[in-house]
């Protein structure tokens, strides 16, 4: 089994930065709701409304900040953004009212959304054409481990349930950003994908219909994330009759399998057509997982628990295939001089889908029951089956320049990142 621990090199450096950053993320995700309600004094409705508004506004930063990573060194840009994130994270200590919370949350969401696009550009710059999908999978495994560690550490603050404990939790998140910045700056500087002053490519990314079609299909499949984090816990307890602890077991299975399998399942998605076939498999496997989840609704409690856990194991395979295939397609179909802008557009579509997902899926599945699950099965299967055809269409519209169109994007990106030979090896990137 491929190890999620990278060998010494750029990949290990960025993986260490990711681990530090996601430990802080785990701290904040676990304790933020209680901190904002029990310590700050906001109502749950205010927290929910504020985060929804912030999330929608934050999506607007994805494309422009991704485009900046095409113009400037993505390493330095990511470090700068994380310093700003540290300052915003510390600002939560000053929140005492809803307007202040909303302002801080909006700033936080803008930086998070933009930084995801910049991170994608950094992965492309450091990983190179042959190593970026492997790097993406490695970082995903490390991120899951970091979030799990952070959630475990946050349990101490939640157990203490005092203002000091929650304040330390916030400061721990701030410190994680600073450690991550220090590690990121150990990486070498990378030349931007296009020369400063060159023609802007943001508009091209937004007008690239074939790319939007493939990315939009991937975004639709990303609804599975809403199923795991929101719909399934409610379905498991309220409809399947499983004990609440089952939700923790489901998330634990997903986390452990992600850490163990992310790198192994990333193979075969490093160029466009193989990535499209992987996306097709992902859609079909995710559809099978939805069938197992649906079957738990009419089973005895013991059988329901078994179906939910089995479904989650199947789901995780589909999730990992979708993640690596989505990354591979977003890189391979992008203009090599506008990697950041294209990743920003890809993130924007995913963000819009995940924003609409909670309301749509709770209505369709929790209210619709079996019919809702069957609709979700059909959606995932159909979208997965469509992706290879959409990808072939997209490849026909890419600029010609090599006999093998499927290899052309990688070849062009290799030219755009010439001089970065050390970053090309899949085991030493990042």
């Amino acid at each position: 089994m491929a190890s999620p621990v990278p060998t010494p090199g750029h990949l290990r450096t960025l993986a260490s930065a990711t681990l530090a950053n996601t430990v802080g993320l785990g701290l904040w995700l676990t304790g933020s709701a209680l901190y904002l309600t029990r310590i700050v004094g906001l109502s749950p409705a205010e927290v929910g409304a504020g985060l929804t508004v912030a999330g929608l506004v934050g999506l607007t930063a994805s494309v422009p900040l991704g485009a900046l990573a095409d113009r400037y060194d993505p390493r330095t840009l990511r470090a700068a953004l994380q310093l700003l994130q540290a300052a915003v994270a510390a600002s939560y200590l000053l929140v005492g009212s809803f307007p202040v919370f909303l302002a801080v949350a909006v700033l936080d969401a803008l930086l998070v959304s933009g930084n995801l696009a910049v991170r994608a550009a950094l992965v492309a710059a450091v990983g190179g054409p042959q190593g970026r999908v492997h790097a993406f999978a490695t970082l995903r495994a490390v991120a899951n481990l970091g979030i799990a560690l952070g959630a475990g550490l946050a349990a101490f603050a939640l157990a203490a349930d005092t203002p000091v404990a929650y304040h330390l939790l916030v400061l721990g998140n701030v410190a994680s950003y600073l450690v991550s910045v220090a590690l990121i700056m150990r990486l070498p500087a990378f030349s931007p994908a296009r020369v400063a002053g060159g023609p802007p490519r943001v508009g091209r990314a937004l007008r690239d219909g074939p790319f939007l079609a493939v990315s939009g299909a991937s975004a639709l499949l990303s609804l599975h994330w809403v199923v795991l984090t929101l719909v399934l816990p409610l379905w498991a307890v309220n409809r399947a009759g499983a004990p609440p602890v089952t939700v923790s077991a489901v998330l634990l299975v997903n986390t452990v399998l992600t850490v163990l399998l992310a790198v192994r399942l990333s193979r075969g998605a490093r160029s466009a057509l193989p990535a499209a076939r992987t996306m097709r498999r992902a859609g079909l496997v995710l559809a099978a997982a939805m069938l197992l989840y649906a079957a738990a609704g009419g089973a005895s409690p013991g059988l329901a628990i078994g179906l939910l856990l089995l479904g989650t194991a199947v789901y995780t395979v589909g999730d990992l295939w979708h993640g690596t295939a989505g990354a591979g397609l977003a890189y391979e179909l992008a203009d090599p001089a506008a990697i950041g802008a294209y990743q920003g557009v890809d993130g924007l579509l995913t963000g819009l889908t995940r924003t609409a997902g909670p309301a749509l899926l709770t209505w369709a599945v929790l209210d619709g029951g079996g019919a809702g699950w069957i609709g979700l099965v059909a959606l995932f299967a159909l979208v997965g089956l469509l992706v290879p055809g959409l990808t072939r269409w997209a490849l026909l519209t890419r600029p010609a320049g090599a006999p093998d169109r499927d290899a052309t994007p990688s070849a062009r990106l290799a030219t755009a990142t010439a001089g970065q030979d050390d970053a090309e090896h899949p085991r030493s990137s990042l």
Side-chain angles (χ1 to χ4, degrees):
M1 180 177 295
S3 172
V5 179
T7 56
H10 297 333
L11 179 52
R12 178 172 290 185
T13 300
L14 193 52
S16 298
T18 298
L19 181 64
N21 189 206
T22 52
V23 167
L25 179 61
L27 285 170
W28 180 243
L29 288 177
T30 304
S32 59
L34 292 177
Y35 168 71
L36 293 170
T37 54
R38 296 174 67 81
I39 306 302
V40 175
L42 301 176
S43 69
E46 286 176 324
V47 173
L51 292 178
T52 298
V53 171
L56 290 172
V57 175
L59 291 176
T60 62
S62 181
V63 178
L65 282 178
L68 279 182
D70 297 323
R71 192 180 183 94
Y72 302 103
D73 169 26
R75 177 211 63 169
T76 304
L77 184 57
R78 179 160 171 82
L81 288 173
Q82 288 202 322
L83 283 176
L84 291 175
Q85 287 181 290
V88 171
S91 299
Y92 278 105
L93 294 173
L94 306 177
V95 172
S97 65
F98 178 74
V100 176
F101 163 65
L102 182 60
V104 173
V106 166
L107 288 174
D108 193 12
L110 287 168
L111 291 170
V112 168
S113 179
N115 211 350
L116 288 175
V118 173
R119 181 193 66 174
L122 179 58
V123 171
V126 180
Q130 301 305 315
R132 57 197 179 190
V133 173
H134 166 82
F136 172 86
T138 299
L139 293 180
R140 179 165 186 189
V142 170
N144 273 266
L145 179 60
I147 291 173
L149 291 173
L153 292 173
F156 292 101
L158 271 58
D161 198 28
T162 64
V164 171
Y166 285 106
H167 290 158
L168 288 174
L169 184 150
V170 174
L171 292 174
N173 187 32
V174 174
S176 77
Y177 283 116
L178 299 178
V179 174
S180 179
V181 168
L183 290 167
I184 286 173
M185 292 306 294
R186 293 177 59 188
L187 293 169
F190 294 96
S191 300
R194 67 184 180 90
V195 178
R201 304 298 180 94
V202 177
R204 178 179 298 183
L206 291 170
R207 294 192 302 271
D208 191 336
F211 177 85
L212 293 176
V214 175
S215 183
S218 179
L220 283 174
L221 283 184
S222 74
L223 284 171
H224 66 72
W225 182 81
V226 180
V227 173
L228 181 73
T229 58
L230 175 64
V231 175
L232 186 60
L234 297 174
W235 174 263
V237 176
N238 297 332
R239 298 296 180 87
V245 71
T246 305
V247 176
S248 295
V250 162
L251 296 177
L252 180 62
V253 167
N254 175 253
T255 299
V256 171
L257 290 179
T258 297
V259 172
L260 294 177
L261 299 178
V263 175
R264 182 179 181 86
L265 294 183
S266 70
R267 297 170 180 170
R270 293 177 182 172
S271 58
L273 289 178
R277 291 190 287 269
T278 299
M279 185 80 78
R280 178 175 59 197
R281 290 199 304 271
L284 296 175
V285 169
L286 287 169
M290 298 306 109
L291 284 174
L292 291 169
Y293 288 153
S300 64
L303 180 57
I305 293 172
L307 288 170
L308 292 170
L309 295 178
L310 176 60
T312 299
V314 174
Y315 164 90
T316 304
V317 173
D319 173 24
L320 292 174
W321 273 338
H322 170 242
T324 55
L329 289 169
Y331 285 134
E332 287 294 308
L333 299 179
D335 181 340
I339 290 290
Y342 271 77
Q343 304 318 301
V345 170
D346 184 66
L348 174 64
L349 293 176
T350 298
L352 288 172
T353 302
R354 288 187 175 182
T355 299
L360 174 65
L361 293 186
T362 51
W363 167 76
V365 176
L366 297 181
D367 292 340
W373 283 113
I374 294 301
L376 203 53
V377 168
L379 175 66
F380 287 161
L382 178 61
V383 170
L385 291 171
L386 287 175
V387 169
L390 293 174
T391 301
R392 285 190 290 272
W393 172 47
L395 287 171
L396 290 174
T397 66
R398 304 303 93 177
D404 181 0
R405 285 185 182 271
D406 192 36
T408 296
S410 288
R412 296 198 311 271
L413 185 57
T415 301
T417 57
Q420 298 171 16
D421 294 339
D422 289 343
E424 304 262 331
H425 195 282
R427 298 297 297 179
S428 63
S429 58
L430 293 188

